[in-house]
Amino acid sequence: MMPAGAAASRVPAGIEAVLRDPGFWGDNAAVIGLLVIGVAFSLLTPFFLTWGNISDLLVSASILVVLATAQQFAIVTAGIDLSIAANLPWAAVVFGLVYTGGFGIPAAIVAAIAAGMIVGVVNGLIIAKLRVNDFIATLGMLGVMNGVALIVSDGQSFSVSSPFLQALALGSIGPIRYFYLIAIVIALAAHFLFTRTAFGTHVLATGGNRDAARNMGIPVDRMRIAVYVINGALVGLAAILLVARTGGSDPSLQTSQLLSSIASVVLGGSSLFGGRAAVLGTVAGALVLTTLLNGFTLLQVSEFYQPMAVGIVVIAAAVLSRLQR
Amino acid sequence: MSEAMPVLEVRGLRKSFGAVDALVGAELICPAGEVTALVGDNGAGKSTLIRCITGVYPPDGGAIAFKGAPIGFASPTEARALGIETVYQDLALVEDLTVWQNMYLNREVEHGIGPFRWLDRRRMIAETEAKLERLLVNMPPVRAKVRRLSGGQRQSIAIGRAASWGSALVIMDEPTAALGVRERGAVEALIGRLRGEGVAQLVISHDLEQVMRISDSVWVMRRGRTIARWRTREVDRTRIVAAIAGAEG
């Protein structure tokens, strides 16, 4: 599942050697965690390991996977995007307003993704051109876009329903639901970008060693703007999924999605200091968080315990990741 | 090759920063297949001279000729396009990328058509192996991340990268200052091999033993001026030290 470190660096022969290498555990913390949690829940309840439940789990993980991939783009350049919590409802409101205004689904889709991208462009320009720290810039945009979303929607959530959205939320190709098909495609595309393209390599270099990247002639400012534009487009896409899933546009902040997106990336083994992108690890991280909630629900554990468990898992993963090579 | 046409020739170079005259008459000649050492105290103008040659600073006066033609570099990118590569002390390597990714950083070989392009990894890995094998005694695995390499291996890769892009002049700023004895030996061996391949090399070094070991000529700068030049085999350490201190020239 994780091609990153293990395959690339000619591990000495023998599974034992691999298992003895602490770096293996550090690099694959999220996948290992996912397996452990999965096995535990399947032993604890017969309802966990059924196709119906797994499919539900994947559907509820889909939005987070797209958001975490968006977050990955910011984090890989040693940045972070706090404005996701406001950009997501902003793009959802734009989608809803354009659709309910009678412009049709294609226009609403384009508008939502464009709305997300505009926030990305502004984030990128503030960070790369005005030289404002990523944390501060996106914290500011978090407030600005929260306000804008509330203003244009008049602070009200409103229902948005269409056959298209219903099909998107409930439909499938064979057993594969559209929802997680989209998430899988996005994650694979991001993985491909980082590992197989010059653009992705330049983004990694910009995050890993900005001076070196500049020295080698990479336009680092343009790279930093580009990652926030991609990030914004993905948030716009996630907003469409959110409207399809909830059946409406809600302008209120999506703080838990923001925190989960950062937690997924950290769980997945990407460094917050940039330069390292583990997209498939990020997907595993998002699945770990979603699986915890799913399992707890099946086991009828009080929902008050859920955030605590998620927090403990994130810290445990961070400790494990210190073993990374 | 025409008889002894130097790869780089600097004449009477001047550069001021406000009231500070950093260069007041710098001279330098770097012939192909030779190691030219540039020595001088801190603040003598060595770094400013390098930055003028590589296009970081525009000089105020004087002339720089590259392969006989006068040049006025507007940017480091232009200097690089002409075949001038610089290995700075920080090496400009990205630790989280592999050796081959660093080797081809911003020079990636791609497949594909139009805007749909992806990396030709196999070719870049194979060519990195071929290039470094020729230059290095102790080949690091080209698929390993630079993070896992020793200081000497990193230095060798940075120099190998600079030298392997058909560059005519490789400039090195203190290439072994941070290395142990054994690793220093490996880097000096690499410099020797590049000389054999006809590359002009300009080395800034404070280590005069090393200057005596590896260079063909020594140029001494003091207070922004070139004050002495010798063939290395015709000079001894004591005279170089005296020149650096200002007692000669």
Side-chain angles (χ1 to χ4, degrees):
Chain A
M1 172 108 193
M2 283 281 296
S9 55
R10 287 183 187 165
V11 175
I15 293 170
E16 203 189 318
V18 175
L19 296 181
R20 276 170 190 278
D21 180 358
F24 169 79
W25 298 95
D27 280 350
N28 299 296
V31 176
I32 294 163
L34 184 60
L35 289 175
V36 170
I37 294 169
V39 169
F41 282 141
S42 353
L43 294 176
L44 289 169
T45 161
F47 303 114
F48 180 76
L49 207 59
T50 60
W51 177 243
N53 185 55
I54 297 297
S55 189
D56 280 350
L57 193 162
L58 291 174
V59 167
S60 44
S62 299
I63 294 174
L64 181 55
V65 166
V66 176
L67 286 175
T69 307
Q71 191 64 262
Q72 172 91 76
F73 275 91
I75 287 178
V76 81
T77 59
I80 196 157
D81 182 11
L82 302 179
S83 67
I84 276 185
N87 194 7
L88 181 64
W90 149 249
V93 164
V94 168
F95 180 91
L97 288 178
V98 171
Y99 181 68
T100 54
F103 294 95
I105 284 292
I109 289 174
V110 171
I113 291 174
M117 281 171 86
I118 288 166
V119 175
V121 171
V122 175
N123 276 331
L125 289 174
I126 295 172
I127 289 160
K129 295 297 181 192
L130 300 182
R131 313 245 164 252
V132 175
N133 172 283
D134 300 64
F135 188 95
I136 304 297
T138 59
L139 182 64
M141 283 300 285
L142 171 70
V144 171
M145 293 322 295
N146 182 30
V148 172
L150 289 168
I151 292 165
V152 299
S153 67
D154 207 16
Q156 304 293 317
S157 59
F158 51 99
S159 72
V160 180
S161 75
S162 85
F164 169 82
L165 292 178
Q166 274 168 15
L168 180 63
L170 302 171
S172 61
I173 302 175
I176 315 274
R177 299 272 291 271
Y178 291 135
F179 239 62
Y180 53 83
L181 188 62
I182 290 171
I184 289 168
V185 168
I186 292 296
L188 288 179
H191 178 70
F192 180 85
L193 196 73
F194 284 124
T195 57
R196 305 280 157 157
T197 69
F199 173 80
T201 310
H202 295 176
V203 169
L204 290 172
T206 301
N209 186 342
R210 201 177 300 161
D211 291 334
R214 196 182 288 120
N215 250 323
M216 298 308 293
I218 294 171
V220 294
D221 283 351
R222 232 184 296 163
M223 289 296 142
R224 296 176 77 200
I225 295 170
V227 294
Y228 279 98
V229 174
I230 294 171
N231 157 296
L234 291 176
V235 175
L237 176 66
I240 299 168
L241 298 179
L242 186 68
V243 174
R245 189 157 163 76
T246 59
S249 295
D250 181 353
S252 52
L253 280 181
Q254 296 278 353
T255 315
S256 78
Q257 294 278 21
L258 164 66
L259 296 180
S260 298
S261 74
I262 297 172
S264 302
V265 176
V266 173
L267 273 170
S270 301
S271 164
L272 282 177
F273 298 110
R276 202 166 357 186
V279 178
L280 302 185
T282 296
V283 171
L287 288 175
V288 165
L289 297 180
T290 314
T291 304
L292 273 178
L293 300 188
N294 175 275
F296 282 0
T297 309
L298 291 180
L299 293 170
Q300 295 176 325
V301 175
S302 157
E303 60 179 321
F304 299 154
Y305 287 93
Q306 293 178 1
M308 205 173 85
V310 170
I312 291 170
V313 166
V314 169
I315 292 170
V319 173
L320 250 188
S321 75
R322 298 194 51 164
L323 303 174
Q324 254 171 2
R325 19 191 169 213
Chain B
M1 195 169 278
S2 64
E3 199 256 320
M5 156 97 70
V7 172
L8 180 82
E9 191 167 357
V10 177
R11 291 280 173 219
L13 210 66
R14 285 182 290 108
K15 176 72 188 172
S16 306
F17 299 99
V20 182
D21 295 324
L23 295 178
V24 291
E27 316 273 326
L28 193 63
I29 293 174
C30 297
E34 287 200 6
V35 177
T36 306
L38 183 60
V39 300
D41 256 341
N42 293 331
K46 305 185 300 283
S47 297
T48 309
L49 174 56
I50 299 297
R51 292 196 165 94
C52 287
I53 295 170
T54 55
V56 178
Y57 298 148
D60 297 332
I64 306 174
F66 187 65
K67 294 178 180 168
I71 48 166
F73 293 129
S75 74
T77 318
E78 264 176 64
R80 187 173 295 139
L82 280 175
I84 298 181
E85 288 281 344
T86 313
V87 180
Y88 293 101
Q89 276 177 290
D90 67 8
L91 302 184
L93 295 173
V94 181
E95 291 194 338
D96 279 318
L97 294 181
T98 62
V99 171
W100 69 265
Q101 283 174 315
N102 271 286
M103 195 77 174
Y104 278 86
L105 193 55
N106 209 19
R107 286 182 167 115
E108 289 85 0
V109 182
E110 293 171 301
H111 295 293
I113 35 164
F116 300 102
R117 319 204 128 263
W118 60 94
L119 298 175
D120 189 344
R121 289 159 63 113
R122 193 177 302 170
R123 186 164 146 209
M124 288 191 278
I125 290 169
E127 287 186 3
T128 301
E129 237 152 24
K131 280 172 177 163
L132 291 182
E133 227 155 44
R134 216 185 61 220
L135 295 174
L136 307 183
V137 189
N138 236 333
M139 259 286 281
V142 300
R143 288 184 181 81
K145 290 189 173 178
V146 167
R147 182 180 292 288
R148 309 186 78 191
L149 306 185
S150 72
Q153 286 176 316
R154 292 176 192 210
Q155 188 78 47
S156 298
I157 286 161
I159 298 173
R161 174 171 69 180
S164 67
W165 293 103
S167 43
L169 174 65
V170 175
I171 301 171
M172 288 169 247
D173 190 1
E174 296 284 355
T176 61
L179 304 181
V181 177
R182 222 166 55 99
E183 299 208 296
R184 194 175 63 202
V187 170
E188 287 179 6
L190 168 56
I191 292 173
R193 217 155 301 141
L194 290 176
R195 171 166 51 192
E197 299 201 344
V199 178
Q201 295 173 87
L202 175 60
V203 177
I204 294 183
S205 179
H206 279 105
D207 179 352
L208 291 185
E209 298 290 349
Q210 177 176 59
V211 167
M212 299 305 290
R213 265 196 313 274
I214 66 171
S215 74
D216 298 289
S217 66
V218 189
W219 296 68
V220 184
M221 289 190 71
R222 185 173 163 73
R223 293 183 180 158
R225 195 185 304 278
T226 302
I227 55 158
R229 55 175 288 198
W230 295 285
R231 298 303 290 174
T232 307
R233 61 173 182 277
E234 294 163 1
V235 70
D236 57 43
R237 250 193 73 180
T238 326
R239 288 184 70 191
I240 300 176
V241 172
I244 291 172
E248 185 173 341

